[in-house]
């Protein structure tokens, strides 16, 4: 507490020295005191916010760090076993089945009117 009071007095003295000791008015003194107390209030607010943040988030951050440390220290030397998602292969049949004939992949644009320009010849319908 005495340290804060000392800082306030030093700041007031510094501001009054900047004005000049011969030309000090009550307004200069009020400005110096206001600036000093504002500085102390802002510093106290920052310290209070840091303390509240530490109290609020300290346990969760510590738990997160310990959990993260466990995962980083964990080393798996054994292979990971994975079950296959593929079905078992089918049995081989006695007959060979022919594949259907391949049709051309691109037959043109089905939404264009290029195939049926005239009403008598409508072309292929889908």
């Amino acid at each position: 507490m005495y340290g804060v009071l000392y800082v306030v007095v030093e700041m007031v003295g510094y501001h009054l020295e900047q004005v000049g000791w011969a030309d000090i008015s009550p307004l200069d003194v009020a400005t110096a005191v206001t600036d000093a107390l504002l500085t102390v209030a802002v510093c106290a607010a920052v310290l209070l916010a840091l303390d509240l943040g530490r109290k609020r988030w300290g346990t969760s951050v510590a738990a997160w760090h310990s959990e993260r440390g466990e995962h980083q220290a964990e080393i798996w030397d054994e292979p990971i076993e994975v079950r296959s998602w593929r079905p078992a292969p089918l049995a081989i049949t006695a007959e060979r089945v022919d594949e259907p004939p391949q049709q051309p992949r691109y037959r043109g644009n089905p939404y264009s009117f290029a195939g049926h320009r005239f009403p008598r010849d409508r072309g292929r319908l889908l």
Side-chain angles (χ1 to χ4, degrees):
M1 185 67 183
Y2 290 114
V4 174
L5 183 63
Y6 176 74
V7 169
V8 168
V9 170
E10 284 293 323
M11 288 180 70
V12 169
Y14 176 75
H15 282 288
L16 294 178
E17 184 180 340
Q18 293 296 320
V19 173
W21 290 105
D23 299 326
I24 294 177
S25 68
L27 185 59
D28 293 328
V29 174
T31 302
V33 170
T34 303
D35 288 345
L37 292 179
L38 178 64
T39 304
V40 169
V42 168
C43 291
V46 167
L47 290 175
L48 179 66
L50 290 174
D51 186 45
L52 289 175
R54 182 186 55 84
K55 286 181 181 176
R56 170 67 175 93
W57 295 102
T59 55
S60 61
V61 170
W64 179 70
H65 278 298
S66 66
E67 178 183 323
R68 192 171 150 213
E70 290 174 4
H71 287 303
Q72 287 179 350
E74 190 174 325
I75 298 175
W76 294 344
D77 289 334
E78 301 173 3
I80 300 173
E81 296 181 12
V82 179
R83 300 179 101 189
S84 177
W85 56 269
R86 297 181 199 157
L90 298 175
I92 300 175
T93 59
E95 295 180 13
R96 185 174 200 90
V97 179
D98 293 332
E99 294 182 11
Q102 292 285 336
Q103 295 182 356
R105 291 182 184 254
Y106 182 72
R107 296 183 183 183
N109 187 356
Y111 300 107
S112 71
F113 296 103
H116 45 81
R117 291 186 185 175
F118 303 107
R120 284 184 265 162
D121 181 26
R122 294 188 51 98
R124 286 188 270 172
L125 297 177
L126 295 177

